[in-house]
Amino acid sequence: MAAAITEQFSTAFRTFTSLPAGRQLALLGLIAGGLVAVAGLLFWLLRPTYAPLFGPMDNAEAAQVMEALGQMGVPYQVSNRMGQMGQIEIPQRRIAETRLLLAGQGLPKAADLGFELLQEDAGFGASRLMEAARHQRALEGELGRSVAALDPVELARVHLAQPERSVFVRERRPPTASVVVHLRTGQQLSDAQVAAIVHLVSSSVPALEPDAVTVVDQTGRLLTRNDEESGLNASADQLEYTQKLEDTYVRRVRSLLQPILGADRMRVQVAADLDFSRVERTEEAYDPDGTALRSEQITEQERIGSDLGPMGVPGALVNQPPQGGQLGDPNNANAETETPKSRSLDSVRNYEVDRSIAHVREMPGAIKRLSTAVVVDYIEEEDEEGEVTRVPRPANELDNIRALVREAVGFNEARGDTINVVSAAFTDEAPIEPDPFWTQPWFIDLVKIIAGLLLAILVLLMVVRPGVKQLLEGPVLMEKEGEDDDEEQLALSEQGSALAALAGPGGPDQQALDLDAVREMIKEDPKRVAQVMKTWLGSGGDG
């Protein structure tokens, strides 16, 4: 086999050397261009996808990372795309492994500065100012790590401004903080997440108020809001809450009516009027009919004798009884005198009155009024002629639907709720078709790979293969062409002889046999016979 391959290469070399210089250059250029095109296509298809290794870094730190990547043998490139200018990119499949290896070397350093900074040797004689600065830097690093733990945040930096604490209360200034967040591509922070960052930072620093924290993204957009914007934010929250509440009622009604009417046979809308005012009140009420005896005190006094003590109004002599006066018959001196008496009865009763005290705090979001609208589609019926027509639903069915909707939304007539159920003819809506598959990203990537492979195969088959075949099979093809020409000339000579024999002298039997042979020859190969006839006629009929 090795001898055959060597023979083919030798033959190809002799054929190549026998060609003119122009054809040699053209053939070499053709083969080399095809191979380069195939190699480029394969390199484009098999080239790994590069992705950013880290977020934005300082130039000095990026240089350290690039040096470490070169020592580890990891290929990298510096991005020139908008939005990722200057970022270091490596093959995507090696990102996780490379990050772990770089973390073992302490890179990147800016992302790892935290309380471990305090473990480093500060040196002998470090001042109190330097110790305070190191502690503040460590606290900023820890807060930056905590903020970067959020999914939309790729990198975060926290700056704390903590003024010196003065012994004079009037001169004390509260601390402030600012947070710079670098968001991931296509990600945004919601208002709730921004508020969470503000409260996270304010809760981590003593005496830091949430109003003193500012959050800015990488584009310089201020994410925290002032008092005026807070009012707009509250309005947006109220609108969002109203929509959620209305959607909840819509889902209730739809889940109740869908098994009865069908998903495409009804439309439900709910409008909720909510009260977002904050009210606090204290009420104290008394019930006059509700009394109860709590305590009772009765005092009774009785005095017997002539000396009753001072009586009457102090200082008024006219109210004093006469001294030594006697009652009875003045003629009967021996009659017994009656003893004077005094008796008093005091009663004190304490009653409890029914009293109630209530402190009420009304939370915002109470429903003031609820309006519900339901539209149901017509039903199909057959008339007397057998044709299908669409007619409104009967009134009793609409009443049943209205009753179900009342229970589903918690209808309250006292607060002015309304429900309206109407039957109407729905128009035929075209079903929403999904996006065609050729618009999907995976299809574009697949077409890219298939097109590259097909183009490479075409270049190999139409450019490289003919050139190589011409080098390897040139002499063989020339020999075969020569043999085919000899065979064709021989066949033409034989057919010409047959035709000459047909035209020459001979008996009837011989002419009949020659005629049969010519007919058979015409059936087998009419084109060749026609060519012989043309050659024979062109030569003037000479055989």
Side-chain angles (χ1 to χ4, degrees):
M1 182 176 182
I5 296 176
T6 304
E7 182 65 24
Q8 289 182 356
F9 276 106
S10 301
T11 305
F13 180 75
R14 290 194 301 271
T15 305
F16 178 76
T17 54
S18 62
L19 294 175
R23 292 193 60 185
Q24 290 180 1
L25 294 176
L27 187 59
L28 288 176
L30 189 65
I31 296 175
L35 293 177
V36 170
V38 172
L41 291 173
L42 294 178
F43 177 77
W44 176 62
L45 292 176
L46 301 178
R47 182 176 180 271
T49 303
Y50 280 76
L53 178 60
F54 296 109
M57 295 184 296
D58 297 337
N59 293 334
E61 190 175 11
Q64 294 178 1
V65 173
M66 293 171 63
E67 183 179 358
L69 292 176
Q71 293 176 358
M72 291 187 297
V74 178
Y76 64 88
Q77 65 182 16
V78 180
S79 176
N80 295 323
R81 294 190 296 269
M82 296 298 297
Q84 297 180 356
M85 188 72 68
Q87 292 186 2
I88 301 175
E89 297 181 348
I90 66 172
Q92 189 172 7
R93 58 185 178 83
R94 302 190 61 178
I95 288 180
E97 176 187 0
T98 306
R99 285 179 178 176
L100 293 176
L101 295 175
L102 291 176
Q105 300 180 15
L107 295 174
K109 295 181 179 180
D112 291 334
L113 288 178
F115 280 121
E116 63 269 18
L117 183 64
L118 302 179
Q119 299 176 358
E120 298 179 1
D121 187 9
F124 180 76
S127 63
R128 180 175 176 271
L129 178 62
M130 292 300 299
E131 290 293 339
R134 292 183 62 192
H135 180 270
Q136 179 175 340
R137 181 66 187 91
L139 181 60
E140 291 175 351
E142 291 293 335
L143 290 175
R145 287 178 177 178
S146 300
V147 175
L150 299 177
D151 290 338
V153 180
E154 184 176 4
L155 184 64
R157 296 192 65 183
V158 180
H159 303 277
L160 299 178
Q162 295 178 306
E164 288 288 338
R165 184 177 179 85
S166 176
V167 295
F168 302 100
V169 178
R170 294 181 179 179
E171 296 181 0
R172 291 180 181 177
R173 291 177 297 174
T176 58
S178 59
V179 183
V180 181
V181 293
H182 189 282
L183 303 180
R184 302 182 188 276
T185 305
Q187 297 288 333
Q188 291 184 351
L189 286 175
S190 63
D191 295 335
Q193 290 173 327
V194 173
I197 294 174
V198 170
H199 285 80
L200 172 67
V201 176
S202 63
S203 301
S204 303
V205 180
L208 179 60
E209 297 294 333
D211 296 337
V213 180
T214 304
V215 182
V216 183
D217 64 1
Q218 74 271 21
T219 61
R221 185 166 58 96
L222 183 64
L223 301 181
T224 50
R225 304 175 183 272
N226 52 25
D227 295 337
E228 297 179 357
E229 293 178 346
S230 297
L232 298 176
N233 187 26
S235 300
D237 293 340
Q238 293 174 5
L239 179 60
E240 183 181 359
Y241 176 76
T242 303
Q243 292 177 349
K244 288 182 179 179
L245 183 63
E246 293 174 351
D247 293 341
T248 301
Y249 282 113
V250 169
R251 287 195 300 269
R252 286 184 182 179
V253 177
R254 288 184 60 86
S255 63
L256 187 63
L257 299 181
Q258 184 172 351
I260 303 173
L261 305 176
D264 298 332
R265 297 297 183 181
M266 62 177 174
R267 297 292 184 272
V268 181
Q269 288 294 330
V270 176
D273 185 9
L274 305 182
D275 184 11
F276 290 100
S277 58
R278 299 177 181 270
V279 179
E280 292 187 17
R281 63 177 183 271
T282 302
E283 299 177 349
E284 185 174 359
Y286 294 90
D287 186 6
D289 298 331
T291 58
L293 180 63
R294 184 181 66 179
S295 63
E296 182 178 8
Q297 184 180 1
I298 300 175
T299 304
E300 183 177 358
Q301 294 181 358
E302 183 178 1
R303 293 181 181 182
I304 302 175
S306 59
D307 187 9
L308 297 178
M311 299 178 64
V313 179
L317 299 177
V318 296
N319 293 331
Q320 296 179 358
Q323 295 293 330
Q326 295 181 355
L327 296 177
D329 188 1
N331 297 325
N332 188 5
N334 297 326
E336 294 181 359
T337 61
E338 295 181 359
T339 304
K341 298 179 180 180
S342 68
R343 187 175 184 179
S344 64
L345 180 64
D346 296 332
S347 178
V348 179
R349 293 182 177 89
N350 295 322
Y351 292 92
E352 286 291 346
V353 181
D354 188 9
R355 182 183 67 168
S356 61
I357 300 176
H359 181 76
V360 181
R361 177 183 296 176
E362 296 182 359
M363 298 302 296
I367 299 177
K368 297 170 57 178
R369 186 170 180 269
L370 202 65
S371 302
T372 307
V374 181
V375 181
V376 295
D377 193 10
Y378 278 5
I379 57 176
E380 296 180 353
E381 289 185 355
E382 292 186 2
D383 54 10
E384 298 178 355
E385 298 179 356
E387 296 182 357
V388 178
T389 58
R390 304 183 67 187
V391 296
R393 295 180 182 270
N396 58 350
E397 186 176 353
L398 296 180
D399 293 337
N400 294 334
I401 294 174
R402 187 177 294 105
L404 292 175
V405 175
R406 287 168 59 95
E407 299 298 329
V409 300
F411 180 80
N412 188 354
E413 187 176 0
R415 68 187 179 192
D417 293 353
T418 58
I419 295 178
N420 193 7
V421 179
V422 178
S423 179
F426 287 5
T427 57
D428 296 333
E429 297 180 356
I432 300 176
E433 298 181 357
D435 296 336
F437 66 91
W438 56 82
T439 61
Q440 302 296 330
W442 62 267
F443 182 78
I444 297 175
D445 295 339
L446 181 61
V447 170
K448 170 185 171 183
I449 295 174
I450 294 177
L453 292 176
L454 290 178
L455 187 59
I457 293 174
L458 288 176
V459 171
L460 288 174
L461 294 179
M462 301 180 64
V463 178
V464 179
R465 184 173 178 271
V468 175
K469 186 177 181 180
Q470 184 176 1
L471 289 177
L472 297 178
E473 300 181 358
V476 179
L477 291 176
M478 295 176 61
E479 295 177 359
K480 289 184 177 180
E481 290 178 358
E483 293 178 357
D484 293 339
D485 293 340
D486 295 340
E487 293 178 356
E488 185 175 359
Q489 292 295 332
L490 181 59
L492 290 175
S493 300
E494 294 178 354
Q495 293 173 0
S497 301
L499 293 175
L502 178 61
D509 295 338
Q510 183 65 30
Q511 291 181 358
L513 292 175
D514 293 338
L515 184 59
D516 293 338
V518 171
R519 289 176 179 174
E520 188 67 26
M521 188 183 303
I522 293 173
K523 290 180 181 181
E524 291 179 357
D525 196 352
K527 293 182 179 181
R528 192 176 295 276
V529 173
Q531 186 177 0
V532 172
M533 294 293 295
K534 290 180 181 180
T535 304
W536 182 56
L537 293 175
S539 60
D542 297 335

